[in-house]
Amino acid sequence: MTFNIETERLLLREIRLEDLDGMFALDSNPNVHEYLGKKPIKTKAEAKQNIEKILHQYKTLGIGRFAIIEKASKQFIGWSGLKFNTGDKESLGNKRDFYDVGYRLIERFWNKGYAGESAIASLDYGFKTLNLDVIVGAAETGNTASNKILKKIGLHYKEQFPFESEMINWYELKKEEYAKRMS
């Protein structure tokens, strides 16, 4: 599956095995995993497994996270995009079978607006290309930056619930609301 989405400063494309070093740099950083269960990976083999899971999602679900490439440097800086969460392993509390927008950046690329820029492109892809009715977002309540981004890109806070000993904020955006905002 091939994806090519361009924004002003970014290229979003499918994640590839050649992104292994970048994925390892991303997911081995404890600061990146502060609000993701505090379980950074320790080996490149784990990074490769994560890439293989995403490649499997492309084949079986037709969607998965996108690699973010900074146009100016041509560097892999993280991932963003949509994921279809289905089944018990992919549920979040009592939420299941949902498309969520997410983003994760290598720390030196934080605070540049890249998460929001890539997430807006992902919403556009989800509503216009995949014709989804609803896209959700979730963030630990303590993750101020991610909560701010989800609101900034237009998702609406719906509720809060516990998940794995953390409180989660749940956001949603419906296609009709997105279409109104874009017109």
Side-chain angles (χ1 to χ4, degrees), residues 31-91:
N31 294 332
V32 171
H33 279 263
E34 176 66 24
Y35 298 104
L36 300 169
K38 297 179 177 81
K39 298 175 189 168
I41 63 173
K42 298 193 182 344
T43 67
K44 284 193 178 179
E46 290 174 284
K48 185 177 182 203
Q49 287 176 334
N50 289 342
I51 291 172
E52 288 170 348
K53 284 180 195 173
I54 294 168
L55 296 176
H56 181 73
Q57 290 169 356
Y58 294 159
K59 287 179 187 164
T60 60
L61 303 173
I63 192 65
R65 305 298 194 197
F66 304 123
I68 306 173
I69 308 301
E70 184 184 48
K71 284 182 180 179
S73 67
K74 298 187 177 22
Q75 282 187 287
F76 174 94
I77 65 169
W79 57 251
S80 185
L82 304 173
K83 179 181 176 189
F84 183 55
N85 296 269
T86 186
D88 292 336
K89 273 184 84 174
E90 297 288 332
S91 65

Side-chain angles (χ1 to χ4, degrees), residues 3-173:
F3 303 99
N4 281 302
I5 301 168
E6 283 195 54
T7 69
E8 182 182 340
R9 302 175 296 163
L10 307 172
L11 172 65
L12 280 65
R13 61 149 170 83
E14 73 280 356
I15 289 178
R16 304 172 184 156
L17 287 173
E18 70 194 47
D19 298 321
L20 180 63
D21 289 339
M23 287 289 279
F24 179 70
L26 174 68
D27 282 326
S28 63
N29 183 332
N31 294 332
V32 171
H33 279 263
E34 176 66 24
Y35 298 104
L36 300 169
K38 297 179 177 81
K39 298 175 189 168
I41 63 173
K42 298 193 182 344
T43 67
K44 284 193 178 179
E46 290 174 284
K48 185 177 182 203
Q49 287 176 334
N50 289 342
I51 291 172
E52 288 170 348
K53 284 180 195 173
I54 294 168
L55 296 176
H56 181 73
Q57 290 169 356
Y58 294 159
K59 287 179 187 164
T60 60
L61 303 173
I63 192 65
R65 305 298 194 197
F66 304 123
I68 306 173
I69 308 301
E70 184 184 48
K71 284 182 180 179
S73 67
K74 298 187 177 22
Q75 282 187 287
F76 174 94
I77 65 169
W79 57 251
S80 185
L82 304 173
K83 179 181 176 189
F84 183 55
N85 296 269
T86 186
D88 292 336
K89 273 184 84 174
E90 297 288 332
S91 65
L92 189 61
N94 66 355
K95 310 290 186 189
R96 60 182 293 142
D97 298 332
F98 57 89
Y99 287 90
D100 82 339
V101 62
Y103 33 81
R104 191 176 300 171
L105 299 172
I106 293 171
E107 187 173 8
R108 71 180 180 275
F109 296 100
W110 291 0
N111 300 312
K112 296 179 185 286
Y114 289 157
E117 185 175 331
S118 63
I120 288 169
S122 299
L123 290 175
D124 198 58
Y125 183 82
F127 288 126
K128 291 182 178 177
T129 303
L130 298 178
N131 200 31
L132 301 177
D133 291 321
V134 177
I135 297 174
V136 306
E140 286 186 16
T141 56
N143 189 342
T144 306
S146 196
N147 281 282
K148 184 178 176 183
I149 291 165
L150 290 170
K151 291 175 193 170
K152 186 175 181 178
I153 65 171
L155 276 74
H156 304 288
Y157 172 83
K158 293 296 182 183
E159 65 181 299
Q160 189 176 93
F161 55 86
F163 180 72
E164 294 182 357
S165 75
E166 297 293 338
M167 291 302 290
I168 304 295
N169 285 335
W170 183 262
Y171 300 85
E172 295 180 358
L173 182 60

